[in-house]
Amino acid sequence: MSRKRSLIRSGTTVDQMVRAIGDRIVTGFLRPGEKLDEASLAARFDVSRTPVREALGRLSAMGLVERRPNRGATVAVVTQEHLASMFESMAELEAICARFSAERMTAGERRALEIEHQASARLVQLGAEEDYEYYNTEFHTRLYRGAHSKHIYELTVMTRSRLAPFRRAQFMLPGRLTKSWQEHNVIVTAIMRGDSAAAGHAAKDHVSIVSEASAVFAAVDPMKPAGSTGMSC
């Protein structure tokens, strides 16, 4: 099987390209400053250059790619400081969603949340990282929808999309699946009790832990003196 085929199948969508390229940037397969050639990417993903440009545009909006006139696209330097700032915002938004979910979720939404959460324990036991990652996205989306606030939902989803590659990368770390499930369990328990304060605190703590786990994939800012991480936590 060719390298192109092993990376992703033919008929690649823009979403799939964004995910594949974003994951390779976050995990270091593509290094900061590395040029992203449209023609090479089109050949690798078996698509025309138009969807490649769209994918690079979305990655640029996420802060993973830099695009400059007459210089094309290159892999951006994502510093620990910048990543911490984004996760700080995400933690506050998730806390709001969890708090509102504890107050506003319908009985049916609560039951579905608990059932899916308990079922996900099997994925942890199997070490099914990819399946758990999919479930994890669904879990958090349930919280966003459970807040029953369209504006907060849109803000949270937009922020999450910028952090998606880093949130996925956390599951490569040893023991992270189990810890993630345990953190989810605290959130679900609080929501089922209708304890909005506890749900908000648990969600904020969860995202803060995700931030720390994901920080290992961020680059050190080359403009900072040696030994400076740009992150206090």
Side-chain angles (χ1 to χ4, degrees), residues 183 200-210:
E183 292 156 18
H201 285 306
K204 185 174 182 178
D205 288 346
H206 172 55
V207 178
S208 296
I209 293 169
V210 172

Side-chain angles (χ1 to χ4, degrees), residues 32-178:
E34 186 172 340
K35 183 174 177 58
L36 298 170
D37 180 69
E38 290 182 3
S40 297
L41 288 172
R44 177 174 296 175
F45 289 113
D46 229 355
V47 296
S48 70
R49 294 176 67 165
T50 298
V52 170
R53 292 191 190 101
E54 184 177 343
L56 291 176
R58 287 169 56 176
L59 288 163
S60 177
M62 294 165 68
L64 294 178
V65 167
E66 291 184 358
R67 303 180 82 184
R68 298 178 182 176
N70 304 317
R71 295 186 61 182
T74 58
V75 177
V77 175
V78 182
T79 65
Q80 292 176 344
E81 183 176 24
H82 180 62
L83 186 62
S85 176
M86 288 195 292
F87 267 111
E88 183 177 51
S89 300
M90 188 79 248
E92 295 295 339
L93 288 168
E94 294 254 7
I96 292 171
C97 289
R99 189 170 71 248
F100 282 177
S101 288
E103 298 171 353
R104 302 176 180 179
M105 267 188 169
T106 65
E109 288 173 327
R110 293 171 197 269
R111 284 194 300 272
L113 178 70
E114 185 176 36
I115 289 170
E116 290 298 319
H117 168 62
Q118 295 301 332
S120 71
R122 179 62 175 165
L123 302 178
V124 177
Q125 294 170 356
L126 295 173
E129 292 180 7
E130 186 173 345
D131 289 338
Y132 185 86
E133 179 223 311
Y134 175 80
Y135 157 75
N136 182 65
T137 299
E138 290 297 306
F139 173 83
H140 284 275
T141 299
R142 285 183 185 276
L143 298 185
Y144 308 160
R145 289 178 177 151
H148 290 279
S149 170
K150 182 180 179 181
H151 184 60
I152 290 174
Y153 173 83
E154 291 172 349
L155 281 175
T156 309
V157 169
M158 180 181 67
T159 305
R160 181 179 69 178
S161 69
R162 298 190 66 182
L163 286 166
F166 290 97
R167 295 187 75 151
R168 285 195 296 270
Q170 64 170 310
F171 297 121
M172 299 178 186
L173 302 176
R176 183 60 203 146
L177 288 186
T178 298

